[in-house]
Amino acid sequence: MTKLMKAAQIQKYGQQRLDIVQVPIPVIRDNDVLVKVAAASINPIDLKTRDGQLRMLLKYKMPLTLGSDFSGTVTKVGKSVVAFHVGDQVYGRVQKNRIGTFAEYVGVDQGDIALKPVNLTLQDAAAIPLVALTSYQALVDVMQVNPGDKILIQAGSGGIGTMAIPIAKSLGAFVATTTSAKNAELVRKLGADQVIDYHQTHFEDVLVDYDYVFDTLGGQALINSFRIVKPGGKIVSISGMPNGRFAKNYGLPGWKRLALSLATMNIARLERRTGVEYDFLFMKPSGRELTAITTLIEQGVVKPIIDRVVPFEDIQSAFDYSASGRAKGKILVAIG
């Protein structure tokens, strides 16, 4: 008899209310582990996936279980798994073609997970993987931040910002960030050197000669970022449009490369005019990098900032709250 589990799904793109349904527990592959999920976090990519905004990059079959990162306990290992054992407490971010962490169990490749930090509960660990990996890959892999570099991290009190600020400080950077006045003290405690109240001040009016911008907002904020970065610097965005260069590296077909190149012509013009490079970041799961992040957590450099925890049955309220843009830190869904 097929064993079933609860999962939060959509039946079609644009469906605003998730359905909690019974589905089969995943059948794992040789390199997989099966994890009983303790908690998962809400991320902007979950809302974008629900609303069909990523169809240019990702194609999913319906119905679709949502959810990208998680924490939990290993209950089964594939025959090729050597790094993990039944009973291990782990956390991670699943591959984009295997999303589905808003469920009681998830199958995940052993290369995409790490043992959870010893100083975090399983629940708190679920706040880490996607935002920490995104921040780490932006700051370390793409920007290659060095001591003394100046970086603007947009939306410092959000899920990404609360991870990116302490990681950037651990690399020796001077960090400016934008936030509201009520969250200014939070981002200062995280290590921000200059805090800009975006309700009162335009960051492009007060910052100059920056090496990098980590853009989490897109839109006009992204365009204005070109005004503060010096020639040879970089803007790394997770909210702007993918450009033709990204499309080529990502292996998209020619017509999609052309479409994205045309859609980002204004960005390309700004690159040529300012000498500033624009990189769209679509983060990749990595157990190796998550292990490096675990070290930072166990050293006390990085700590999860959690706005609220909701039970699985109330996952809809977590999605609605995430969509409001008011969260300070991460929104967690307690599953098991």
Side-chain angles (χ1 to χ4, degrees), residues 112-308:
D112 298 336
I113 60 174
L115 294 173
K116 80 162 184 66
V118 297
N119 56 336
L120 293 186
T121 66
L122 262 180
Q123 184 168 279
D124 288 352
I128 299 291
L130 190 145
V131 291
L133 283 168
T134 301
S135 301
Y136 189 92
Q137 289 171 15
L139 298 166
V140 176
D141 297 346
V142 183
M143 297 178 190
Q144 300 180 355
V145 171
N146 289 307
D149 286 345
K150 296 166 64 177
I151 178 172
L152 168 65
I153 296 172
Q154 296 281 21
S157 62
I160 293 287
T162 54
M163 281 290 144
I165 292 171
I167 292 175
K169 290 305 299 179
S170 74
L171 297 171
F174 178 94
V175 177
T177 192
T178 57
T179 191
S180 61
K182 67 178 181 179
N183 293 324
E185 187 59 26
L186 167 65
V187 297
R188 286 193 182 97
K189 287 181 178 179
L190 291 171
D193 299 290
Q194 184 170 355
V195 180
I196 300 165
D197 178 358
Y198 66 88
H199 290 296
Q200 302 294 328
T201 305
H202 298 297
F203 70 87
E204 65 272 18
D205 291 338
V206 294
L207 303 182
V208 65
D209 285 337
Y210 268 61
D211 298 284
Y212 306 108
V213 171
F214 188 12
D215 169 60
T216 62
L217 300 174
Q220 192 60 44
L222 169 58
I223 299 301
N224 293 341
S225 294
F226 282 90
R227 295 172 54 183
I228 75 163
V229 180
K230 61 189 180 183
K234 289 184 179 182
I235 298 170
V236 178
S237 178
I238 59 172
S239 295
M241 281 284 292
N243 57 3
R245 186 167 58 248
F246 167 84
K248 180 180 180 180
N249 294 335
Y250 196 67
L252 294 179
W255 72 269
K256 288 188 176 182
R257 297 182 196 177
L258 177 60
L260 290 173
S261 294
L262 292 173
T264 56
M265 286 179 62
N266 61 326
I267 296 293
R269 283 194 294 267
L270 284 169
E271 285 185 294
R272 292 191 296 269
R273 186 186 309 159
T274 62
V276 173
E277 181 180 308
Y278 168 78
D279 289 293
F280 176 79
L281 175 64
F282 209 27
M283 64 81 62
K284 300 175 182 178
S286 171
R288 177 184 58 81
E289 291 187 325
L290 195 55
T291 298
I293 292 164
T294 297
T295 299
L296 294 177
I297 294 169
E298 292 177 347
Q299 291 173 344
V301 174
V302 174
K303 299 177 181 178
I305 305 297
I306 298 169
D307 184 290
R308 64 184 59 184

Side-chain angles (χ1 to χ4, degrees), residues 20-148:
I20 297 182
V21 298
Q22 293 280 337
V23 299
I25 292 176
V27 176
I28 61 171
R29 307 167 185 173
D30 289 350
N31 284 310
D32 287 352
V33 300
L34 183 68
V35 177
K36 187 178 190 301
V37 179
S41 74
I42 307 287
N43 293 285
I45 195 172
D46 301 315
L47 279 74
K48 291 178 180 179
T49 301
R50 178 196 66 178
D51 296 340
Q53 296 178 17
L54 300 176
R55 280 181 285 185
M56 180 69 81
L57 303 178
L58 300 169
K59 188 173 183 179
Y60 293 115
K61 293 181 180 179
M62 299 292 164
L64 176 65
T65 302
L66 296 174
S68 300
D69 59 0
F70 69 96
S71 63
T73 303
V74 175
T75 61
K76 187 177 181 180
V77 299
K79 64 181 182 181
S80 299
V81 174
V82 295
F84 300 96
H85 305 88
V86 171
D88 284 346
Q89 294 186 328
V90 298
Y91 68 152
R93 199 274 197 228
V94 295
Q95 293 286 340
K96 296 177 181 69
N97 62 350
R98 301 187 70 185
I99 65 170
T101 63
F102 298 143
E104 292 179 301
Y105 291 87
V106 64
V108 58
D109 189 283
Q110 64 176 334
D112 298 336
I113 60 174
L115 294 173
K116 80 162 184 66
V118 297
N119 56 336
L120 293 186
T121 66
L122 262 180
Q123 184 168 279
D124 288 352
I128 299 291
L130 190 145
V131 291
L133 283 168
T134 301
S135 301
Y136 189 92
Q137 289 171 15
L139 298 166
V140 176
D141 297 346
V142 183
M143 297 178 190
Q144 300 180 355
V145 171
N146 289 307

